[in-house]
Amino acid sequence: MKRMIGLVMMMGLVVSFIGCGDDDSSPTGSSVSQDMYAENIVGTWKSYGDPFWTFSSDGTVELIGWDLIYNWEISGSTLTITDSDGNLYGDYPIEIVSLSNDQLVYTDTIDKVDDSGTVDEQITMTR
């Protein structure tokens, strides 16, 4: 019995090790490098199948359905969206996890209501 448990544990370790690798969270297209984020983010992104954001190459982004225009900038994997007065959209800049031609995965950080810290939510958008 001990041998069987040892074998099962060993196989689990091997499977875990083999399963580790680059997961670009992008099953529908190949992920692009951070250097290309600003180019590949341009266009309309959908949330739950509905258009949500349209990023333009002129550095503006429209929040679809609200007729709101913001400015956007990407530095490394950080996406900063601000209004015309420089106020940040959301509580913090957005951290891009992966970006491909048809999928954007990012982490949105918000303050807890009771001011006891923050909450991170990973969001996936598609084209």
Side-chain angles (χ1 to χ4, degrees), residues 80-127:
T80 305
I81 299 175
T82 56
D83 65 16
S84 59
D85 294 326
N87 298 312
L88 195 59
Y89 172 84
D91 293 334
Y92 298 92
I94 294 168
E95 288 301 318
I96 298 171
V97 175
S98 68
L99 176 62
S100 69
N101 290 331
D102 41 16
Q103 188 176 67
L104 167 62
V105 179
Y106 65 89
T107 301
D108 193 18
T109 302
I110 60 172
D111 289 326
K112 289 184 177 180
V113 176
D114 64 2
D115 289 329
S116 65
T118 60
V119 175
D120 291 338
E121 179 181 10
Q122 189 163 316
I123 298 169
T124 300
M125 299 189 109
T126 58
R127 294 234 195 230

Side-chain angles (χ1 to χ4, degrees), residues 13-26:
L13 287 173
V14 169
V15 169
S16 294
F17 180 75
I18 291 172
C20 293
D22 283 346
D23 175 17
D24 65 0
S25 300
S26 150

Side-chain angles (χ1 to χ4, degrees), residues 26-64:
S26 150
T28 56
S30 61
S31 189
V32 297
S33 71
Q34 286 184 12
D35 296 340
M36 302 294 290
Y37 282 175
E39 291 178 29
N40 283 355
I41 203 165
V42 172
T44 299
W45 292 94
K46 298 176 185 175
S47 177
Y48 299 104
D50 294 323
F52 186 77
W53 279 334
T54 297
F55 289 86
S56 298
S57 59
D58 66 359
T60 60
V61 57
E62 178 184 0
L63 189 59
I64 298 173

